[in-house]
Amino acid sequence: MDDARAQAIADGFKVFGDKTRIRILFCLQDSEKCVEDITEEIGMEQSAISHQLRILRDAKLISVRKEGRYSYYSLKDEHVSTILQMGMEHAAED
């Protein structure tokens, strides 16, 4: 593996290093949600959630769909869900 690819993988995993982003990703596992739904479920200010959503979008972990004045967020693909599930299983190990 070359350095550029190793760096890209390391940068991708850095995004998973924040508990708020992890909570947002788990929040989106079941269905797409707007910012208001996410803020309500997580219990944080909209500006903080919006900032984290931008980071997740930039990392290509979530997708956004616009409908009128609302933006709806969802996991980008099944790979993201698999990574979350594997992390959950690993954290549950003794």
Side-chain angles (χ1 to χ4, degrees), residues 73-88:
Y73 298 88
S74 61
L75 296 184
K76 184 77 170 181
D77 56 33
E78 192 61 33
H79 295 113
V80 179
S81 185
T82 300
I83 292 168
L84 291 172
Q85 187 60 39
M86 290 174 72
M88 187 75 127

Side-chain angles (χ1 to χ4, degrees), residues 65-72:
R65 178 181 66 84
K66 303 270 187 184
E67 187 175 303
R69 66 181 199 103
Y70 290 97
S71 296
Y72 292 90

Side-chain angles (χ1 to χ4, degrees), residues 24 28 31-38 53 57 61-76:
I24 291 170
L28 296 174
S31 63
E32 71 176 8
K33 294 184 172 84
C34 65
V35 175
E36 290 82 8
D37 294 337
I38 298 168
L53 287 168
R57 256 191 349 260
L61 296 175
I62 62 172
S63 296
V64 62
R65 178 181 66 84
K66 303 270 187 184
E67 187 175 303
R69 66 181 199 103
Y70 290 97
S71 296
Y72 292 90
Y73 298 88
S74 61
L75 296 184
K76 184 77 170 181

Side-chain angles (χ1 to χ4, degrees), residues 49-65:
I49 295 297
S50 294
H51 174 72
Q52 298 302 333
L53 287 168
R54 183 184 52 78
I55 292 169
L56 292 168
R57 256 191 349 260
D58 290 348
K60 298 180 175 86
L61 296 175
I62 62 172
S63 296
V64 62
R65 178 181 66 84

